[in-house]
C-alpha cells in the first residue's frame, strides 16, 4: 500500500484544503459585494459632481460620463450663477439658526428622558416607552395639518413671531424636536440600559444623586451614542425641505438653504444645472459635521470598567 | 468600626419567591465574616440588603446600634467592592478613588491626602493618572479596594472580589486582603462561593443554602462539627465521604463497613460521614476497617488520594504518599473514629 491518500489536516489554514478555499472565496465574495455596493452608491453622486462643472448646453445633450474623455470642457459657471441668483448667505444663516437648536433641543430632552426610561422606576414606565416607540411609525405627513392649525392658533407663524420680536424659527425648532424625539429617546435609552448596573449601584453607595450620576457618569460614557445622534439629527434637519416648506413656507427671510435651492429651479425645470452646483455646495456643512464628529464613533469606551 | 446585626431578615420578591429566609447573624466589630454558599443561595442578596441596594422585606438590619432599614445607601457608612469592580471607565484611578469623597463635599486637600494614603497602601502610586482600561485585572481590583478604603467606612462589603482574577493572583490577593483587614481594624463582610476563600480568610463563616442560614462558626468549628449534611458536604476538599447506614445497638452498619458509634444516637437510619483524611492506611488494632476496591489513584506529592468502592459505596481515602497502589487493587484501610459524623436520615441534622 504505497498509495498516498491525502489525509485531512487538522490545521484550518492548510493550503488548498476545502476550508481554506471557502475562507478565501468567502472573503473574496464579501469584498466584491462591498466594493460593488459602494461603487453603485457613489455613481450618482460622482455624476452629479461632474455635471455641476459642465456647461448647461452639454448637460442636456450628452451623459455626464462623456465629460470624462477629452476634450475636457469644465467650467465654474454653474457655481457663479448659483451664487448670483440666490440669497445664499441669508439662507445659510437660516439653516444654521434652524439646525443647531433643532439638534440641541431634542438631543438634550432625549438624554434626560432616556435616562429616566432606562434607570428610574416609575409607574407606567414600560407603557409610556412603548407608546413612544409606536410614535416612530407615525408618518410625518399625517401631522402637518393639525400641527399647522395649532401653530396658527398659538401665533407660532414666522410673521407673527417677527412682529412680537421672537425668533421666527420657533415653529421649526418645535416641529423638528417633536419629530426627532421618539427616535432619539429610543436610541439613547437602549444605550443607557446597556451600561453596567454595577456602576450605578457603586455610584449610589458613593453618595452620588440622580443628577450627579447623569452628568458625571452617564453622559461621559455615552459620548459615542450622543455624537451619532447629533449627526443623525443635524443631517436630517439640515437636509429637510418638507417640514421647512410647510411651517415657514414662503417667507424668504426664514427659508433654509434647501428651500432656497429648490426655488432656483424654475417651474418648468429650467436652470436644472444650477441645482447640481447647489447640491454640492449644500453638502459641505454636513460633511464637515460628520467628519468632525466621526472620531467619537470609537467603540469600546467602556473597556476596562468591568471584568478583568 | 461597628458590629452588624441581621435580625430575622427576609427578602421576598414575590409571594412565592423568597430568596432570604429568616436570616439571623451577629457580626462583631472588626470581625472578618465570610458569607459562603452555592450560587443562588441568597448570600449576595443578604449583602446587598446591608449595602442598601435591595429593600428589606421583613426584619431589621442594624449597623452598630442604628437600624438602617430606611437609611439611604450613602448614609450607611459602608463601602462595597463589586465583583466586576465597577470602576468608572472614563475617570483616572485618582478620580475613581476621589469620587466618593467629592460626593461628601470634602476639601480638596483632604481628598488628596486620603487618596495618596490609600494608593500608597495598595501600591497604586504610579498608576494614579491611568484610566482603568490601562490597568491589569489585579490593579483594577486594587483600585476598587482603594475606592472603599478612602472613605474609612464602618463596614467593608466585598462581593466575590476575587472571582475575576486568575488563580495565582487570587492566592496573593487573599493574603493581601487579610493584611488589609488587620491594618484597617474594620469589620469586613465578604461574600464568596469558594469554600477555600471562606476557610482561609474568615474569622467566622456563615454558610447559606437556598436562602436559609445553615451554620455560623469559626472555620475550624465548621470543619470539625458541621451542623448538617449540607455543611459537611460543602466545606472540605475532597468532600466528606457519605455512606448510608443503619444503626443497631450503637453500631452503624453500611454496605462495606461496620463501626461502633462513639455515642448513642436516637435514629435507626442515617448517613455516616467521615472525611478522606480519616480513612488511612494505618489500621489500628481492634479499630474499624474496610476493604476498598480502588478505581482512581491521585498522587499530589504531599498526599495520595484513593477513590474507590467500599461495599456498594463510593469512598475517598487519604493515604501515605509512599504507599504503592494501582487502580484495580483491593486495599485494607483503617477508619479514625475521632472524625466520625452521623446525620439523621430525615432531617439531615448532625447527631454526632
Amino acid at each position: 500500500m504505497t498509495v498516498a491518500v491525502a489525509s485531512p489536516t487538522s490545521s484550518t489554514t492548510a493550503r488548498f484544503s476545502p476550508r481554506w478555499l471557502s475562507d478565501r472565496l468567502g472573503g473574496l465574495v464579501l469584498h466584491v459585494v462591498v466594493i460593488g455596493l459602494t461603487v453603485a452608491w457613489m455613481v450618482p453622486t460622482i455624476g452629479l459632481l461632474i455635471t455641476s462643472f459642465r456647461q448647461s448646453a452639454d448637460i442636456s445633450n450628452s451623459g455626464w460620463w462623456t465629460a470624462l474623455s477629452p476634450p475636457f470642457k469644465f467650467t465654474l459657471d454653474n457655481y457663479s450663477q448659483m451664487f448670483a441668483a440666490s440669497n445664499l448667505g441669508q439662507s445659510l444663516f437660516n439653516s444654521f439658526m434652524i439646525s443647531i437648536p433643532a439638534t440641541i433641543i431634542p438631543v438634550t430632552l432625549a438624554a434626560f428622558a432616556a435616562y429616566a426610561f432606562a434607570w428610574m422606576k416609575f409607574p407606567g414606565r414600560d407603557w409610556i416607552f412603548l407608546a413612544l416607540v409606536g410614535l416612530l411609525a407615525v408618518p410625518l405627513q399625517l401631522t402637518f395639518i393639525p400641527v399647522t392649525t395649532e401653530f396658527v392658533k398659538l401665533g407660532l407663524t414666522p410673521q407673527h413671531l417677527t412682529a412680537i420680536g421672537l425668533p421666527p424659527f420657533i415653529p421649526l425648532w418645535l416641529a423638528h424636536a417633536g419629530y426627532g424625539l421618539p427616535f432619539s429617546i429610543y436610541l439613547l435609552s437602549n444605550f443607557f440600559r446597556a451600561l453596567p448596573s454595577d456602576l450605578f449601584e457603586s455610584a449610589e453607595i458613593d453618595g452620588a444623586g440622580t443628577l450627579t450620576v447623569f452628568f458625571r457618569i452617564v453622559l461621559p460614557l455615552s459620548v459615542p451614542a450622543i455624537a451619532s445622534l447629533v449627526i443623525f439629527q443635524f443631517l436630517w434637519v439640515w437636509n429637510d425641505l418638507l417640514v421647512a416648506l410647510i411651517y415657514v413656507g414662503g417667507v424668504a427671510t426664514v427659508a433654509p438653504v434647501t428651500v432656497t435651492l429648490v426655488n432656483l429651479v424654475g417651474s418648468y425645470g429650467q436652470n436644472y444645472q444650477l441645482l447640481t452646483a447647489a447640491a454640492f455646495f449644500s453638502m459641505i456643512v454636513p460633511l464637515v459635521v460628520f467628519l468632525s464628529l466621526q472620531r467619537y464613533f470609537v467603540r469600546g469606551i467602556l473597556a476596562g470598567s468591568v471584568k478583568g | 468600626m461597628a458590629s452588624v446585626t441581621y435580625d430575622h431578615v427576609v427578602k421576598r420578591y414575590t409571594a412565592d419567591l423568597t430568596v432570604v429566609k429568616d436570616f439571623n447573624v451577629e457580626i462583631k466589630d472588626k470581625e472578618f465574616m465570610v458569607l459562603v454558599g452555592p450560587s443562588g443561595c441568597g448570600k449576595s442578596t443578604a449583602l446587598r440588603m446591608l449595602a442598601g441596594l435591595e429593600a428589606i422585606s421583613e426584619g431589621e438590619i442594624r449597623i452598630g446600634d442604628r437600624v438602617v432599614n430606611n437609611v439611604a445607601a450613602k448614609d450607611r457608612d459602608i463601602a462595597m467592592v463589586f465583583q466586576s469592580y465597577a470602576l468608572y471607565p472614563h475617570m483616572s484611578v485618582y478620580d475613581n478613588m476621589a469620587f466618593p469623597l467629592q460626593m461628601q463635599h470634602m476639601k480638596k486637600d483632604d481628598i488628596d491626602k486620603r487618596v495618596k494614603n490609600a494608593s500608597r497602601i495598595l501600591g497604586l502610586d504610579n498608576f494614579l493618572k491611568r484610566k482603568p482600561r490601562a490597568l491589569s485585572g489585579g490593579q483594577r481590583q486594587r483600585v476598587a479596594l482603594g475606592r472603599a478604603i478612602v472613605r474609612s467606612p464602618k463596614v467593608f462589603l466585598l462581593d466575590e472580589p476575587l472571582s475575576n482574577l486568575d488563580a495565582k493572583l487570587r492566592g496573593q490577593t487573599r493574603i493581601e486582603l487579610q493584611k488589609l483587614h488587620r491594618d484597617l481594624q474594620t469589620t469586613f463582610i465578604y461574600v464568596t462561593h469558594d469554600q477555600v476563600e471562606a476557610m482561609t480568610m474568615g474569622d467566622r463563616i456563615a454558610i447559606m443554602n437556598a436562602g436559609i442560614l445553615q451554620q455560623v462558626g469559626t472555620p475550624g468549628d465548621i470543619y470539625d462539627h458541621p451542623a448538617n449534611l449540607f455543611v459537611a458536604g460543602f466545606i472540605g476538599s475532597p468532600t466528606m465521604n457519605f455512606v448510608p447506614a443503619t444503626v443497631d445497638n450503637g453500631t452503624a452498619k453500611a454496605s462495606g463497613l461496620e463501626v461502633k458509634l462513639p455515642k448513642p444516637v436516637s435514629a435507626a437510619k442515617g448517613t455516616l460521614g467521615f472525611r478522606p483524611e480519616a480513612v488511612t492506611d494505618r489500621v489500628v488494632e481492634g479499630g474499624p476497617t474496610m476493604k476498598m476496591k480502588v478505581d482512581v489513584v491521585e498522587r499530589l506529592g504531599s498526599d495520595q488520594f484513593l477513590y474507590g468502592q467500599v461495599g456498594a459505596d463510593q469512598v475517598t481515602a487519604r493515604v501515605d504518599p509512599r504507599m504503592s497502589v494501582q487502580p484495580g487493587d483491593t486495599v485494607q484501610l483503617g477508619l479514625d473514629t475521632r472524625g466520625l459524623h452521623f446525620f439523621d436520615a430525615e432531617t439531615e441534622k448532625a447527631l454526632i
Side-chain angles (χ1 to χ4, degrees), chain A residues 196 198-209 212-213 216-218 220-221 300-308, chain B residues 48 51-53 73-74 78-80 82 84-91 99-100 102-103 132-133 137 140 147 151 164:
Chain A
D198 280 0
L199 286 184
F200 293 85
E201 294 181 340
S202 176
E204 190 185 339
I205 293 179
D206 283 347
T212 313
V213 171
R216 293 211 39 193
I217 294 172
V218 175
L221 290 179
I301 199 162
L302 279 177
S305 72
V306 292
K307 290 280 158 82
Chain B
R48 290 166 57 85
L53 298 172
K74 66 185 170 82
I78 46 137
M80 183 154 168
F82 291 81
S84 66
Y85 315 143
L87 302 179
Y88 307 123
H90 56 296
M91 297 185 196
F99 188 76
Q102 288 166 356
M103 292 302 111
R133 68 170 164 275
R140 286 177 202 174
R147 200 168 57 181
R151 304 179 57 185
N164 285 338

Side-chain angles (χ1 to χ4, degrees), chain B residues 22-277:
Chain B
D22 196 34
F23 190 65
N24 290 293
V25 177
E26 189 161 347
I27 298 148
K28 293 180 212 128
D29 186 16
K30 298 177 193 169
E31 190 170 29
F32 197 127
M33 173 64 95
V34 179
L35 290 182
V36 67
S39 53
C41 72
K43 57 191 190 297
S44 275
T45 311
L47 190 77
R48 290 166 57 85
M49 280 192 280
L50 174 58
L53 298 172
E54 303 265 358
I56 300 161
S57 308
E58 265 176 49
E60 249 180 33
I61 294 180
R62 289 190 292 274
I63 298 177
D65 297 326
R66 182 166 71 141
V67 178
V68 293
N69 285 34
N70 295 315
V71 177
K74 66 185 170 82
D75 300 322
R76 294 191 182 192
D77 215 350
I78 46 137
M80 183 154 168
V81 176
F82 291 81
Q83 180 180 359
S84 66
Y85 315 143
L87 302 179
Y88 307 123
H90 56 296
M91 297 185 196
S92 66
V93 168
Y94 184 96
D95 288 335
N96 261 287
M97 292 203 275
F99 188 76
L101 303 179
Q102 288 166 356
M103 292 302 111
Q104 295 172 9
H105 305 291
M106 193 180 271
K107 273 200 226 117
K108 266 214 167 98
D109 297 351
D110 295 338
I111 293 180
D112 193 60
K113 230 179 272 166
R114 287 208 190 190
V115 172
K116 293 269 163 68
N117 187 36
S119 63
R120 207 189 52 241
I121 294 174
L122 296 166
L124 287 169
D125 288 328
N126 297 326
F127 306 104
L128 286 175
K129 290 206 178 97
R130 290 212 200 162
K131 295 273 170 67
R133 68 170 164 275
L135 298 178
S136 70
Q139 289 163 341
R140 286 177 202 174
Q141 212 269 344
R142 273 183 281 157
V143 177
L145 277 174
R147 200 168 57 181
I149 291 174
V150 291
R151 304 179 57 185
S152 32
K154 281 187 184 153
V155 185
F156 270 88
L157 311 181
L158 303 107
D159 190 0
E160 310 224 6
L162 304 187
S163 48
N164 285 338
L165 300 178
D166 60 54
K168 193 178 160 206
L169 209 52
R170 207 178 301 157
Q172 264 173 32
T173 316
R174 220 158 61 197
I175 297 164
E176 278 172 27
L177 270 176
Q178 283 167 279
K179 249 191 243 159
L180 193 65
H181 172 245
R182 215 176 32 238
D183 293 345
L184 294 174
Q185 293 283 313
T186 309
T187 315
F188 271 49
I189 302 177
Y190 184 105
V191 163
T192 179
H193 63 267
D194 182 348
Q195 54 106 4
V196 178
E197 282 175 26
M199 291 295 283
T200 51
M201 298 173 80
D203 290 333
R204 281 196 303 158
I205 303 176
I207 301 180
M208 291 182 75
N209 186 33
I212 298 167
L213 182 63
Q214 305 287 323
Q215 189 175 3
V216 185
T218 61
D221 202 25
I222 284 180
Y223 190 82
D224 292 335
H225 307 288
N228 57 37
L229 204 60
F230 174 80
V231 174
F234 190 76
I235 296 290
S237 173
T239 50
M240 188 186 275
N241 296 302
F242 293 122
V243 179
T246 53
V247 183
D248 185 21
N249 198 18
T251 302
K253 279 193 187 137
S255 58
L257 170 68
E258 239 185 77
V259 53
K260 178 129 181 64
L261 293 173
K263 68 179 191 186
V265 293
S266 50
K269 263 176 79 179
T271 305
L272 203 56
F274 45 92
R275 298 210 178 267
E277 61 263 32

Side-chain angles (χ1 to χ4, degrees), chain A residues 33-76:
Chain A
V33 169
V34 168
I35 291 170
L37 277 177
T38 315
V39 169
W41 215 254
M42 284 186 65
V43 164
T45 315
I46 291 168
L48 203 66
L49 177 66
I50 291 165
T51 305
S52 74
F53 290 106
R54 298 180 75 202
Q55 268 136 14
S56 55
D58 295 342
I59 294 173
S60 36
N61 288 332
S62 57
W64 58 267
W65 51 92
T66 53
L68 291 178
S69 52
F72 296 111
K73 291 195 294 180
F74 292 121
T75 167
L76 286 170

